[in-house]
Amino acid sequence: METAPQAPVSRWEGATSFFQVPWGKLMMWLFLLSDTLTFAGLVAGYGFLRAASETWPAQGEIFNLGLVGFMTFVLICSSATMAAAVGAARRGDPLKAGRLLGLTVAGGLLFLGMQGYEWTHFILEGARLGTNPWGVPLFSTTFFVITGFHGFHVLAGVVYLTTVTYRTLQGRFGADGVESAGLYWHFVDLVWVFIFTFLYLV
């Protein structure tokens, strides 16, 4: 008995996106694109304000670059555990993926703790959003706005990944979902590398 040929699945029926990627991942890419423009605007504004200022404090004399360098190292390591978690999820090992996601969350929390310490030290030195004990007030303004905006993204990522970890360990979250979460976390890490370079080193 011959079976009737199956009709091709329409791209508009909701199973796949028009771009041949899951909708969740496509939406994440669009969100990251818009967020990239936001961070690019902040960094470009920082560059313009700094170029327009006659003086600018020497970062090496104000920031604890050893601490900030370690913060960067922690965030990069968390990106590595995130990539390993995506690999484990792809191999169908939710237990290992969940453990690696937990390590990634721990890295994010450690980063936030160190950033809180840095902010506290900075404030105790007299820095405020509109004042700066080392000269031009815009130095403190750009520091608090840019690192604060990025820190909010890290905090959101920690909450997001905690949810993903819980659902992955329960076997209720697929590899595509873990990969979408990984895209967000890698983006947050990559943005920090740019912030670390332009705000603390250059």
Side-chain angles (χ1 to χ4, degrees):
M1 178 178 176
E2 295 183 358
T3 57
Q6 294 182 343
V9 177
S10 171
R11 293 177 177 178
W12 304 104
E13 290 180 352
T16 60
S17 74
F18 188 76
F19 300 99
Q20 297 296 317
V21 296
W23 280 110
K25 192 183 296 184
L26 178 62
M27 292 300 104
M28 178 60 75
W29 274 115
L30 292 176
F31 169 74
L32 296 181
L33 177 62
S34 65
D35 232 19
T36 299
L37 296 176
T38 304
F39 274 108
L42 286 174
V43 173
Y46 165 79
F48 174 78
L49 292 173
R50 182 171 172 179
S53 300
E54 295 183 359
T55 60
W56 199 261
Q59 299 99 313
E61 299 175 359
I62 298 172
F63 295 124
N64 184 345
L65 294 182
L67 172 68
V68 183
F70 185 66
M71 291 167 59
T72 305
F73 173 75
V74 168
L75 214 51
I76 291 173
C77 287
S78 73
S79 203
T81 56
M82 185 71 238
V86 172
R90 285 288 178 206
R91 292 191 300 273
D93 190 346
L95 180 60
K96 186 173 183 180
R99 289 174 176 171
L100 290 165
L101 284 166
L103 285 176
T104 307
V105 169
L109 288 173
L110 182 58
F111 177 88
L112 288 173
M114 289 187 287
Q115 189 171 53
Y117 173 81
E118 183 192 30
W119 270 47
T120 301
H121 177 76
F122 212 58
I123 291 170
L124 290 177
E125 290 287 330
R128 299 291 186 273
L129 194 60
T131 59
N132 170 30
W134 304 284
V136 55
L138 290 174
F139 177 76
S140 295
T141 304
T142 53
F143 168 81
F144 283 123
V145 170
I146 294 176
T147 61
F149 191 58
H150 178 268
F152 173 75
H153 277 70
V154 176
L155 177 61
V158 166
V159 174
Y160 179 28
L161 290 183
T162 300
T163 305
V164 172
T165 302
Y166 176 72
R167 298 191 65 182
T168 299
L169 289 173
Q170 288 190 324
R172 297 165 51 196
F173 216 63
D176 286 337
V178 176
E179 189 171 347
S180 294
L183 288 174
Y184 177 84
W185 194 253
H186 293 318
F187 169 79
V188 169
D189 294 355
L190 181 63
V191 167
W192 177 255
V193 171
F194 281 98
I195 292 175
F196 175 61
T197 302
F198 289 107
L199 204 66
Y200 291 90
L201 298 181
V202 178

